Amino acid sequence: MLASLPLPHPLMFNKILIANRGEIALRVIRTCREMGIKTVAVYSTADKESLHVRFADEAVCIGPPPSRQSYLNIPTLIAAAEITNADAIHPGYGFLSENAEFSRICQENGIKFIGASPDMINRMGDKASAKATMIAAGVPVVPGSDGLLQSVEQGKKVAAKIKYPVILKATAGGGGRGMRIINAEDEFQHAWDSARTEAAAAFGNDGMYLEKYVEEPRHIEIQICGDQYGHVCHLSERDCSIQRRHQKLVEEAPSPFMTDDLRERMGAAAIAGAAAIGYEGVGTIEFLVDKNRDFYFMEMNTRIQVEHPVTEEIINYDLIKEQIKVAAGIPISGRNYLPTGHAMECRINAEDPRAGFRPAPGRITTLHIPGGHGVRVDTHVYAGYQIPPNYDSMIAKLITVAQTREECIVKMKRALSEFVVEGVKTTIPFHLALMDSEDFKAGNFTTKFLESFDFSVV
Ligand code: MV4
């Protein structure tokens, strides 16, 4: 009898170029290998010895260490895809993953961009237009100005109506840049002037909109996936409230604040928002959730996110595989995915948590990576690896999975205590202290949690 060989799907890509570095480049290469898709790594001269270069089928040097001249250099990336005959580009997260121009240029060159269309990136990248789109789709939003503000006077009128405190946001912002909290009318003019100056310098766009300030919210995001045929499903939520200066440090799924009813309502809202724009690919709808479990659309991310593994672990699903399949035109199953068990991710950064999380690049002299039941480590580093100073400081993601949140935290503590990184300072001591915090263990935290965290115990 003939053995039945798995045949490649007729729509599937033959070769994918990964326009990224570090753990996410490796993450994408691993799924491609499992799917029988060939891979092309690109690297700057600083990353010549990086694992993504060795694990890919081919590798192309794209320039010197600065990102502008390598991982952000569009013509070079397109040339690399053309000389290697790649039929798709996976942008990972950061870098060009939400760059409308790159998405468009890929399309124009007959290379499938495994991410959002230029139009989708533009609509969601402009926060006021994203909010208007969500309002039209019936997604709850924070009360505020109807689109962009034209003047301080108009802003003061809106604020008087919705009542202080309010928050002024740059439409080109996101991730906390160009934002000002305003507690009273006499602060308005100064906040307006400084936020506009900051936004103009940072984004070349000083458009501003206003919202009621939601105090002590949780950051809960819904993972969604849409295919090319108009089906959208959700894959439950992640709680990302443990952040410091808009840098996430711990993410988990499900959220300890979640209820079945809230998940159903947030999932339905996320699907409505994504379906209204015909969203294709994986994406995330970020919400603020207040103490009454009212939720409000905040932003939409049109990329795979750093914290995607916690979702993968509770729904038993490879999100990169799904992303590649929908990009190739394969339909999704169409059903939603509810969590089984609990997963948590600690970001291990080469930073000194005792010195305000100052970046601490250098050579890793000794490395021991934890393992065992329910432990996953996504990393590109190894003993002897030199962490370049040019990129972000995340060196590993430690993910644990268990039946309950309590067991997941016990496992995380065990894995953190096994993790040995010598030669550079890391966030491991911070995570160990956090896992001992009574409020954290009780699930009692908001986005303000780390503002009052006692770092002397780290
Ligand atoms: C808010 C808010 C409170 N009320 N909007 C921060 C980043 C950007 N995505 C929007 N952000 C916020 N928007 C209203 N109407 C509080 C924040 C916020 C925040 C949100 C999520 C996670 C951490 C945060 C830290 C500070 C402020």
Side-chain angles (χ1 to χ4, degrees):
M1 204 174 86
L2 282 169
S4 70
L5 285 169
L7 287 170
H9 194 284
L11 295 173
M12 193 41 71
F13 306 116
N14 174 53
K15 193 188 277 186
I16 296 177
L17 180 142
I18 300 101
N20 214 302
R21 62 179 299 282
E23 71 84 20
I24 193 63
L26 212 49
R27 170 74 191 82
V28 175
I29 291 167
R30 285 176 168 149
T31 287
C32 288
R33 178 63 49 89
E34 290 173 11
M35 295 176 78
I37 300 168
K38 292 191 275 296
T39 54
V40 182
V42 294
Y43 62 98
S44 74
T45 52
D47 283 336
K48 195 173 180 343
E49 307 298 332
S50 201
L51 281 190
H52 76 283
V53 176
R54 297 202 215 170
F55 282 24
D57 295 304
E58 292 169 77
V60 180
C61 182
I62 51 165
S67 302
R68 300 234 146 268
Q69 296 171 60
S70 51
Y71 299 104
L72 294 173
N73 188 334
I74 296 176
T76 309
L77 290 164
I78 298 292
E82 285 185 337
I83 53 172
T84 55
N85 215 14
D87 44 16
I89 293 183
H90 195 301
Y93 51 67
F95 294 123
L96 296 170
S97 60
E98 292 173 292
N99 184 300
E101 193 196 22
F102 187 50
S103 175
R104 177 179 58 79
I105 292 172
C106 286
Q107 204 170 65
E108 285 169 4
N109 285 275
I111 300 163
K112 179 68 187 179
F113 178 75
I114 305 176
S117 65
D119 173 59
M120 216 61 80
I121 294 173
N122 285 328
R123 278 170 77 177
M124 292 300 131
D126 183 283
K127 307 304 166 192
S129 102
K131 189 174 176 182
T133 300
M134 293 300 155
I135 293 170
V139 179
V141 300
V142 186
S145 58
D146 184 8
L148 295 183
L149 290 173
Q150 301 306 322
S151 66
V152 174
E153 290 66 42
Q154 189 199 352
K156 287 180 177 177
K157 267 189 202 155
V158 176
K161 204 170 131 208
I162 61 178
K163 303 213 165 42
Y164 290 90
V166 296
I167 184 167
L168 189 60
K169 294 183 174 182
T171 192
R177 294 190 300 165
M179 257 175 34
R180 293 290 183 283
I181 297 161
I182 311 176
N183 290 298
E185 190 175 294
D186 62 3
E187 297 169 13
F188 206 106
Q189 183 75 51
H190 177 72
W192 172 264
D193 293 336
S194 69
R196 285 187 65 189
T197 306
E198 185 180 311
F203 319 114
N205 174 353
D206 66 0
M208 291 285 152
Y209 65 105
L210 194 74
E211 283 182 348
K212 174 78 184 162
Y213 180 60
V214 180
E215 295 187 69
E216 313 233 352
R218 283 168 173 82
H219 170 141
I220 302 178
E221 55 189 33
I222 303 281
Q223 177 73 55
I224 59 105
C225 182
D227 67 15
Q228 295 181 7
Y229 312 97
H231 313 117
V232 183
C233 71
H234 82 75
L235 304 97
S236 301
E237 79 284 0
R238 294 184 287 263
D239 193 314
C240 307
S241 301
I242 304 294
Q243 322 198 345
R244 186 186 167 276
R245 299 195 181 166
H246 305 291
Q247 291 295 325
K248 294 170 185 167
L249 281 161
V250 176
E251 305 95 345
E252 61 182 297
S255 167
F257 196 62
M258 192 50 65
T259 63
D260 290 346
D261 171 68
L262 180 60
R263 181 178 297 113
E264 207 162 294
R265 291 187 290 130
M266 289 180 71
I271 289 174
I277 55 175
Y279 190 76
E280 174 201 323
V282 306
T284 304
I285 318 260
E286 298 182 351
F287 293 99
L288 291 172
V289 182
D290 70 16
K291 57 182 186 301
N292 303 318
R293 292 195 171 80
D294 285 325
F295 62 90
Y296 311 95
F297 169 78
M298 188 166 46
E299 287 174 20
M300 178 168 184
N301 301 316
T302 57
R303 60 171 189 277
I304 190 79
Q305 287 185 274
V306 174
E307 60 270 26
H308 77 274
V310 295
T311 300
E312 296 187 321
E313 296 303 323
I314 57 150
I315 64 171
N316 193 23
Y317 190 103
D318 180 336
L319 279 167
I320 302 287
K321 184 174 180 180
E322 214 50 31
Q323 202 181 17
I324 293 170
K325 281 167 67 178
V326 299
I330 298 169
I332 61 170
S333 78
R335 70 174 183 92
N336 297 327
Y337 289 77
L338 299 176
T340 308
H342 202 94
M344 188 174 286
E345 171 179 283
C346 288
R347 296 195 190 188
I348 313 301
N349 300 339
E351 294 172 354
D352 184 354
R354 293 183 186 89
F357 291 80
R358 179 177 59 209
R363 186 177 297 279
I364 297 174
T365 52
T366 306
L367 182 71
H368 175 75
I369 292 176
H373 181 230
V375 176
R376 165 176 171 182
V377 180
D378 281 17
T379 185
H380 60 294
V381 307
Y382 49 84
Y385 179 77
Q386 176 81 38
I387 303 161
N390 312 82
Y391 313 108
D392 79 9
S393 56
M394 194 176 73
I395 56 169
K397 304 189 301 203
L398 171 57
I399 303 116
T400 58
V401 54
Q403 297 282 321
T404 67
R405 184 170 188 270
E406 254 180 317
E407 293 171 297
C408 194
I409 292 173
V410 167
K411 221 176 250 297
M412 185 61 82
K413 282 178 70 171
R414 187 273 288 172
L416 285 163
S417 66
E418 269 182 29
F419 214 141
V420 179
V421 183
E422 284 174 5
V424 298
K425 295 256 182 3
T426 75
T427 48
I428 292 171
F430 159 75
H431 290 299
L432 276 164
L434 179 69
M435 296 300 139
D436 277 334
S437 150
E438 292 306 324
D439 279 334
F440 179 75
K441 285 194 281 187
N444 184 19
F445 53 79
T446 70
T447 58
K448 293 214 179 293
F449 182 79
L450 292 186
E451 287 178 23
S452 56
F453 188 74
D454 178 9
F455 286 95
S456 76
V457 301
V458 173

